[in-house]
Amino acid sequence: MEHSAPIRVLAAKVGLDGHDRGVKVIARALRDAGMEVIYSGLFRTPQEVAQTAVDEDVDVVAISILSGAHNALVPEVLKALRERGAGDIPVVVGGTIPDEDAAFLVNQGVRRVFGPGADLAAIVEYIQRLVRPRAPA
Amino acid sequence: MEDRRARTVEERAEAFTTLSWLPLKRVYRPEDVGDLDYHRDLGDPGEYPFTRGIHETMYRGRLWTMRQFAGYGTAEQTNARFHYLLQNGQTGLSVAFDLPTLLGYDSDHPRARGEVGREGVAVDSLADMERLFDGIPLGEVSTSMTINGPAAILMAMYIVVGEKQGVPMERLSGTLQNDILKEYIAQKEFIFPPEPSLKLVVDTIEFATRHMPRWNTVSISGYHIREAGATAVQELAFTLADGLTYVEACLARGLDVDSFAPRLSFFFNSHSDFFEEIAKFRAARRMWARFMRERFKAQNPRSWMLRFHTQTAGCSLTAQQPEVNVVRVTLQALAAVLGGTQSLHTNALDEALALPTAEAARLALRTQQVIAEESGVASVVDPLGGSYFVEALTSETERQAMAYIERIEQMGGVIAAIRRGFMQREIAEASYRFQQEVSSGKRVIVGVNRYAIPASEEKPVPILRIDPELERRQGQRVQELRRSRDNARVQAALRDLARAAEREENVMPYLIEAVRAYATLGEMVDALKSVYGVYVEEAVV
């Protein structure tokens, strides 16, 4: 694995939810930690998110969703990634997601779900370790 | 003045600020309000510039309206919640619509997938609006509708539901949020570009000014700006700047300021920093009064009055130890009442996780009732007026908000500033700064970064579940409607609507006709999109 290149993250908003406070905070925090962040912009379809992830050759996809549509839309992103031969790109999700839904999403293949109140530093560190498990934190 | 810091003793922190980083002194004294003139800057309640309240008697005359925002699932489900809230003593209705409705998609549109009925009630046509207000007399109950992009369409639907109940539009009372500018700044549920969107807002104001004397045409909203991470000062400044933009657009249409200004209302957030919020509400009244009287030369005192609804801060609520949210909401609601709000929504304890259950919504309503009926704070008007601290903070908030408004005006106004990403960037900066302070522990959130308990001890909160089947059923319903209505009439109405938009006529009469023909929301929005186009924001991260 090439360790000198910065980690590339797609910060994605999927569906009709325009709440972008969280995704912007995360994007800045990841950037401040030395990662390259591509922001999808608002109102993306699952297929658009997967295509951008492939085109931009990202190491991880971070989806922010606050509308309650996560159980419908996040599995579609996973499916669209698999269809593009990119099922190995890890996906993390953040937003207003009740515990039982988080369990469902992890079951579907999401690596980790960050709910309301998740710590910024913890999210950054998790993504670093997810992509570079053996790198010193 | 003597240097009082010479006698400094150890304090808990190096420096104290409000939640929005306004510096705070240890104690406030007469010299901190030395330049304040009672009649010029405060006035009695009910007197210009209304700093102390817009009514002489305030809550001694009438309590604020307890108006809980509600909407989920189908029109029938939300109608049942409305009846439940009215039976429990609520005094006005407030409708939350789902995201497809806010963005102008019918429930069977592919873009609506996963979203139908989740963040509010799904409304595709007049048929849903009839079900939504079934058994609710629109001549007696006032309704607030949180709708922006398609606001003119929902207003047309409400008018026609009234017609069917035999209530003429002159008698309808309620509020249309209809504040599209804050969508580009903060909430991001926009459809058309800013210019035609603003034109639609003016259409609704012009129409209501002629035909709907009891209708609040715009609820100029700081709430969402604050939720997006703005400071109290930013919330105040950007909201008033939006309000000034609507006034200027109406004047450009040829409306007389006193014909429409009394029906403009405001909507603010009440966050956790108790005194800062009270200062913000008081400053807002004083600033608006002066803008209306001095800048726009309004003659009618009702044009000078800033009337506002308040909602407690959803973004301040925690998923951890959610019962603590009841305490947060209580303090925020108290600040709104001490700030002189006209109506209030208190958030439910489960809102960091999902839409409120009926029990959680009732407890939130009870919170207001305790403040109103038991605490005694509603017995005296503006009880904090004259406090050295509150007055100094009110003046400081005003000074800083004015500086922002001047910057926006130097950029060429709100729409020019939106296109430059100015407000969006300011809000993102504040939001990130706050989150970093939470992460470092500098900013305490009880139960999250201090006084947390193990996850195993967290009591599970009952969650309002939305049946995924609902989406399919609602989609089928709109398809059946399209088959069963007079489609020739619908197509003619939609053609007329598009033509009126092209000719820059007021579209309200054409929307009313399309609604009567049972054209769907999505069809009407598409007709307008064909003329106005859509807005894609340049993302600022």
Side-chain angles (χ1 to χ4, degrees):
Chain A
M1 191 182 267
E2 179 57 58
H3 273 230
S4 56
I7 295 171
R8 287 170 66 79
V9 183
L10 172 61
K13 288 294 294 178
V14 66
L16 303 184
D17 144 40
H19 297 105
D20 57 6
R21 175 180 182 167
V23 77
K24 286 184 174 182
V25 165
I26 299 294
R28 283 181 182 227
L30 297 176
R31 249 180 222 164
D32 282 356
M35 301 185 207
E36 284 179 359
V37 180
I38 296 100
Y39 174 46
S40 69
L42 292 168
F43 314 128
R44 296 289 160 235
T45 64
Q47 294 71 28
E48 285 170 336
V49 170
Q51 195 55 50
T52 306
V54 171
D55 293 346
E56 294 284 353
D57 191 24
V58 298
D59 299 303
V60 58
V61 178
I63 301 172
S64 166
I65 185 160
L66 287 87
S67 71
H70 42 265
N71 284 359
L73 297 178
V74 173
E76 286 193 18
V77 176
L78 296 167
K79 181 163 156 272
L81 283 168
R82 285 195 299 272
E83 285 166 352
R84 286 162 178 76
D88 59 331
I89 301 178
V91 174
V92 297
V93 177
T96 42
I97 296 167
D99 287 347
E100 57 187 279
D101 291 359
F104 166 79
L105 294 177
V106 168
N107 198 287
Q108 293 284 305
V110 167
R111 294 300 181 89
R112 180 88 182 257
V113 175
F114 293 96
D119 178 56
L120 209 48
I123 295 172
V124 171
E125 193 183 331
Y126 176 82
I127 290 177
Q128 280 166 331
R129 290 191 175 280
L130 182 67
V131 181
R132 306 274 155 80
R134 285 174 302 284
Chain B
M1 182 182 135
E2 64 170 311
D3 183 9
R4 307 181 58 81
R5 281 174 311 182
R7 283 183 275 145
T8 294
V9 285
E10 204 56 35
E11 292 186 338
R12 275 187 297 115
E14 194 92 343
F16 289 77
T17 70
T18 66
L19 183 61
S20 302
W21 303 289
L22 295 179
L24 292 172
K25 299 179 180 186
R26 183 187 302 170
V27 67
Y28 285 77
R29 308 174 69 249
E31 57 266 31
D32 293 303
V33 293
D35 55 356
L36 211 63
D37 179 280
Y38 185 81
H39 286 288
R40 185 193 63 200
D41 300 316
L42 300 178
D44 280 343
E47 276 179 13
Y48 184 87
F50 306 107
T51 311
R52 307 202 62 192
I54 57 168
H55 300 302
E56 192 184 345
T57 55
M58 280 307 285
Y59 309 133
R60 288 167 67 114
R62 193 168 66 93
L63 289 169
W64 60 92
T65 302
M66 299 178 193
R67 193 187 291 278
Q68 299 295 89
F69 191 38
Y72 67 97
T74 61
E76 289 89 344
Q77 285 174 302
T78 298
N79 175 266
R81 177 67 67 92
F82 285 169
H83 283 290
Y84 173 87
L85 288 165
L86 291 168
Q87 281 153 9
N88 275 284
Q90 176 165 304
T91 46
L93 293 178
S94 176
V95 191
F97 297 98
D98 71 357
L99 281 171
T101 306
L102 295 182
L103 289 165
Y105 297 110
D106 290 338
S107 294
D108 63 337
H109 192 285
R111 294 302 312 257
R113 201 181 128 49
E115 314 269 15
V116 175
R118 289 212 169 266
E119 273 202 344
V121 61
V123 170
D124 294 322
S125 75
L126 175 63
D128 290 319
M129 283 291 269
E130 291 172 63
R131 288 187 273 262
L132 186 59
F133 293 103
D134 186 40
I136 294 168
L138 298 195
E140 292 161 41
V141 173
S142 74
T143 304
S144 168
M145 292 190 278
T146 298
I147 191 81
N148 298 285
I153 295 170
L154 270 293
M155 177 168 149
M157 287 184 182
Y158 196 78
I159 289 167
V160 179
V161 174
E163 261 172 28
K164 296 205 162 211
Q165 286 190 3
V167 181
M169 62 176 123
E170 287 70 23
R171 279 189 41 223
L172 294 176
S173 90
T175 303
L176 202 62
Q177 189 165 91
N178 203 18
D179 173 8
I180 200 66
L181 293 172
K182 63 91 171 59
E183 296 297 330
Y184 304 106
I185 294 170
Q187 189 170 240
K188 309 293 175 76
E189 269 119 27
F190 39 70
I191 301 173
F192 317 112
E195 295 80 1
S197 291
L198 184 57
K199 186 261 177 195
L200 280 176
V201 174
V202 178
D203 282 359
T204 59
I205 295 174
E206 184 178 45
F207 185 86
T209 299
R210 293 215 180 106
H211 306 291
M212 302 170 83
R214 301 174 62 197
W215 194 253
N216 295 312
T217 46
V218 188
S219 173
I220 306 154
S221 303
Y223 182 81
H224 321 79
I225 292 172
R226 193 65 180 282
E227 290 290 298
T231 64
V233 166
Q234 289 168 347
E235 179 193 356
L236 175 59
F238 301 164
T239 306
L240 294 193
D242 287 347
L244 299 175
T245 308
Y246 295 125
V247 172
E248 283 157 4
C250 289
L251 296 175
R253 176 74 61 99
L255 296 172
D256 172 66
V257 68
D258 285 315
S259 73
F260 66 86
R263 301 313 301 177
L264 297 174
S265 62
F266 287 80
F267 172 23
F268 290 111
N269 192 303
S270 192
H271 212 296
S272 295
D273 190 319
F274 190 73
F275 291 110
E276 178 169 63
E277 293 307 305
I278 295 166
K280 179 186 78 185
F281 301 132
R282 297 171 86 255
R285 272 193 296 272
R286 183 159 70 205
M287 290 168 76
W288 189 248
R290 287 181 175 160
F291 277 128
M292 294 314 291
R293 190 178 182 173
E294 292 167 19
R295 180 185 289 197
F296 297 115
K297 307 288 182 248
Q299 306 292 310
N300 180 353
R302 299 201 63 81
S303 301
W304 310 332
M305 292 177 192
L306 180 141
R307 298 172 300 133
F308 71 104
H309 170 71
T310 307
Q311 179 169 332
T312 56
C315 65
S316 72
L317 303 185
T318 62
Q320 296 76 6
Q321 300 177 53
E323 61 279 14
V324 178
N325 291 330
V326 178
V327 183
R328 291 189 180 97
V329 168
T330 305
L331 288 168
Q332 294 165 2
L334 184 59
V337 168
L338 292 174
T341 196
Q342 276 58 63
S343 64
L344 180 59
H345 165 102
T346 32
N347 284 334
L349 65 96
D350 48 4
E351 288 192 47
L353 295 162
L355 295 187
T357 60
E359 292 72 25
R362 184 167 61 189
L363 177 59
L365 178 60
R366 294 288 177 261
T367 303
Q368 295 199 40
Q369 290 161 337
V370 169
I371 293 172
E373 314 277 0
E374 296 185 20
S375 75
V377 300
S379 305
V380 174
V381 184
D382 192 34
L384 295 175
S387 147
Y388 302 129
F389 172 44
V390 170
E391 296 300 355
L393 194 56
T394 301
S395 298
E396 183 57 22
T397 303
E398 175 177 6
R399 254 192 303 278
Q400 297 213 14
M402 277 307 289
Y404 257 127
I405 291 172
E406 280 159 20
R407 276 175 77 184
I408 291 166
E409 290 182 338
Q410 280 160 3
M411 284 177 201
V414 168
I415 290 180
I418 285 168
R419 290 199 181 274
R420 284 173 54 168
F422 171 68
M423 286 85 91
Q424 300 92 307
R425 230 184 323 269
E426 291 290 305
I427 295 169
E429 295 281 346
S431 159
Y432 188 46
R433 181 178 174 187
F434 172 80
Q435 214 56 50
Q436 285 177 303
E437 290 187 359
V438 171
S439 197
S440 71
K442 187 175 172 187
R443 192 69 72 179
V444 174
I445 299 181
V446 172
V448 176
N449 65 353
R450 200 178 293 178
Y451 317 113
I453 57 175
S456 57
E457 283 179 40
E458 290 275 9
K459 276 200 303 284
V461 178
I463 297 269
L464 181 85
R465 306 299 309 186
I466 306 291
D467 177 8
E469 263 302 283
L470 177 157
E471 184 159 305
R472 201 181 48 80
R473 284 201 309 272
Q474 181 70 18
Q476 278 174 339
R477 202 141 79 164
V478 70
Q479 285 163 1
E480 276 159 29
L481 173 88
R482 288 198 203 97
R483 282 195 295 272
S484 61
R485 63 191 182 180
D486 175 354
N487 275 302
R489 184 182 169 190
V490 172
Q491 292 312 317
L494 291 171
R495 262 197 314 276
D496 291 348
L497 171 62
R499 233 178 269 142
E502 250 160 43
R503 287 197 300 254
E504 301 208 345
E505 278 181 69
N506 188 317
V507 296
M508 280 310 298
Y510 301 93
L511 286 173
I512 291 169
E513 175 49 30
V515 166
R516 283 188 191 129
Y518 288 91
T520 66
L521 174 94
E523 290 165 337
M524 289 181 264
V525 166
D526 285 346
L528 293 173
K529 275 183 186 173
S530 72
V531 179
Y532 298 148
V534 293
Y535 183 70
V536 179
E537 77 160 2
E538 274 191 51
V540 187
V541 177

